[in-house]
Amino acid sequence: MRYPGRRGTNLPRMGDYNQLVVLDHIRRARVSVSRVELAAVTGLSGQTISNVVGRLLEQGLVQEGERQITGRGKPRTLLHLRPGAGYALGAHIDPVSVTIVLLDLAGTIVERAVVTTPDGSPAVVAAIADEVARMRALVPGGEVVGLGVAAPGPIDPEAGRVIHPPLMPSWGDVPLRDRLADATGLPTLLDKDVAAAMVAELWQGHHELHTTTLFVYLGFGIGFAFAREGEVLSGSSRNAGEIGHLIVDADGPPCFCGNRGCLGVSVALDRLVAEAVDGGVLPASTPRGTPAELDVAMGRLAAAGEAGDAVAREILDRAARRLARGIVIVSDLIDADGVVVGGANWARLAPYLSAAARTEFAGHATMRELHGVEVGGTALGPWIGAVGAASQVLDAAFTPHASLLVAQPAGA
Ligand SMILES: [Zn+2]
């Protein structure tokens, strides 16, 4: 079912809100929409729609397209978003790489870059600022409305701080949002990587199929995000979904928390690479001290599995089965009808997860008598976190959200 979107209000003082509601519907329509259709979906009067659309045309945010003839009525002029009317930048930081994208108002990637994550947060801020400056120069007279940043959790959204991100030990507690706002001169928004990825999926993925969606982010760690009818449910501190210590196999590997078979450790790169070394899939000399080395080793384990190595396949299949168990538990918890999996490490487990998830859902899901659950991978690939972060900036600027956290750079 497609998310129906927000309703407007015909009270005269709420004009700006209505403008955002109408623009939001035009964005969500993806192709084009008529004034009559806008009136129907927003609940606004024809006159209000005319006034609002007039202002949007004047501001250059939308443009008129072809005329549509329906039945015996007057032909309707279709409205499109003007993609070049606004741009946003998004950056996604993970322990191995920083991805940066420039999105237009329609959500299309105009420019993209990947840089190796430098050591320490000051160097990461500088690297993002360099790419931001380069990409801003590509926008021909168009406005860049802000920079969205997706970072590993946990985060403090009020203060815009990243707090001891795993696998980035030198980071500590970093006021990342304000440092990036100062370094780039752009309003900056910080969110958790998995929440940003969920937003990207809602805007650009196949979210229309689902009323309640579970997003599983497989990066260096694992994170979950939840959405209901197009809105991310992010919790009281925007950190919902940190369920790495959910026990999915009582006989599983030991976790630093003292239990065995926690979800996080079951799919952790260092754990899977250690199993590959113990099982003889990778040589004992395999470098695995840094996130970048672990990433390379994990790629070699996946390649061995693809080439038919039985031990590699068993390691990855076991991880996929434990992951599937976690997905089923959380799906039942929120009564999801769709699961989307993405993140840097997703492609390595994807060949094993589909079958494991089918078996787990058929055997263990409580909701299996009531409805199916569709499990699929994201179509947004490695760009999903950065696209989501930039989409959040467009949301904050052009849609009727009141709650997103945008810091103005000093002196702006
Ligand atoms: Zn644990």
Side-chain angles (χ1 to χ4, degrees):
M1 195 172 85
R2 190 177 170 82
Y3 170 54
R6 297 168 186 82
R7 305 281 292 177
T9 167
N10 290 304
L11 295 173
R13 286 172 56 208
M14 297 300 283
D16 289 343
Y17 180 78
N18 286 339
Q19 184 167 328
L20 291 175
V21 169
V22 170
L23 187 62
D24 193 29
H25 278 286
I26 298 173
R27 283 184 72 197
R28 284 170 192 270
R30 309 228 176 134
V31 269
S32 54
V33 63
S34 70
R35 289 172 177 79
V36 174
E37 288 165 307
L38 284 172
V41 291
T42 59
L44 292 167
S45 70
Q47 186 56 52
T48 303
I49 289 289
S50 268
N51 295 343
V52 168
V53 169
R55 283 202 301 274
L56 291 172
L57 287 166
E58 219 171 275
Q59 291 168 18
L61 291 170
V62 303
Q63 60 196 12
E64 290 189 315
E66 68 279 18
R67 284 153 76 82
Q68 181 190 51
I69 298 160
T70 49
R72 277 177 297 176
K74 207 166 90 172
R76 298 166 176 181
T77 305
L78 295 177
L79 299 160
H80 306 257
L81 209 57
R82 246 192 78 232
Y87 294 84
L89 285 147
H92 175 205
I93 301 165
D94 91 358
V96 172
S97 56
V98 180
T99 44
I100 302 145
V101 298
L102 174 66
L103 284 197
D104 67 19
L105 186 56
T108 305
I109 299 176
V110 177
E111 178 65 351
R112 62 185 90 197
V114 185
V115 296
T116 302
T117 307
D119 272 342
S121 63
V124 169
V125 167
I128 292 174
D130 283 352
E131 277 300 324
V132 164
R134 183 180 73 78
M135 290 188 188
R136 279 180 88 173
L138 302 174
V139 175
E143 192 198 351
V144 173
V145 293
L147 167 67
V149 184
I155 60 163
D156 177 346
E158 300 276 324
R161 303 177 83 91
V162 172
I163 299 156
H164 302 290
L167 290 157
M168 296 160 90
S170 69
W171 274 54
D173 178 346
V174 178
L176 184 64
R177 182 190 62 198
D178 293 355
R179 285 197 183 152
L180 277 166
D182 288 344
T184 62
L186 284 171
T188 301
L189 178 157
L190 172 70
D191 208 347
K192 213 168 65 158
D193 47 13
V194 58
M198 176 94 254
V199 169
E201 194 59 35
L202 290 172
W203 272 113
Q204 308 203 7
H206 42 9
H207 61 284
E208 291 100 328
L209 301 172
H210 311 127
T211 56
T212 300
T213 311
L214 168 63
F215 189 91
V216 182
Y217 187 85
L218 278 172
F220 269 80
I222 185 166
F224 284 48
F226 320 105
R228 165 99 187 127
E229 307 211 328
E231 296 286 341
V232 179
L233 305 174
S234 47
S236 57
S237 71
R238 296 193 73 79
N239 283 297
E242 296 283 340
I243 49 168
H245 295 291
L246 178 72
I247 294 172
V248 290
D249 183 350
D251 300 318
C255 176
F256 66 86
C257 73
N259 290 320
R260 298 191 76 90
C262 293
L263 179 57
V265 71
S266 295
V267 296
L269 264 61
D270 56 348
R271 177 74 213 175
L272 299 180
V273 167
E275 287 179 13
V277 169
D278 292 347
V281 178
L282 299 177
S285 59
T286 303
R288 48 186 160 129
T290 67
E293 289 168 348
L294 277 174
D295 191 49
V296 170
M298 183 68 197
R300 290 171 58 195
L301 167 59
E306 225 171 285
D309 184 304
V311 179
R313 295 185 72 85
E314 172 54 26
I315 291 167
L316 294 167
D317 189 51
R318 190 165 53 225
R321 277 184 275 127
R322 288 169 176 157
L323 172 60
R325 173 64 57 90
I327 289 174
V328 167
I329 294 169
V330 179
S331 288
D332 273 347
L333 175 71
I334 63 166
D335 191 10
D337 58 353
V339 177
V340 184
V341 192
N345 213 20
W346 152 238
R348 279 107 176 226
L349 284 181
Y352 308 87
L353 185 64
S354 302
R358 259 198 311 278
T359 307
E360 278 296 323
F361 273 105
H364 301 286
T366 307
M367 303 306 167
R368 68 184 187 272
E369 308 292 344
L370 293 167
H371 58 75
V373 181
E374 190 194 321
V375 181
T378 178
L380 293 166
W383 307 101
I384 188 165
V387 167
S391 300
Q392 284 175 303
V393 172
L394 294 174
D395 270 354
F398 296 113
T399 65
H401 283 280
S403 61
L404 281 169
L405 308 146
V406 179
Q408 289 295 331

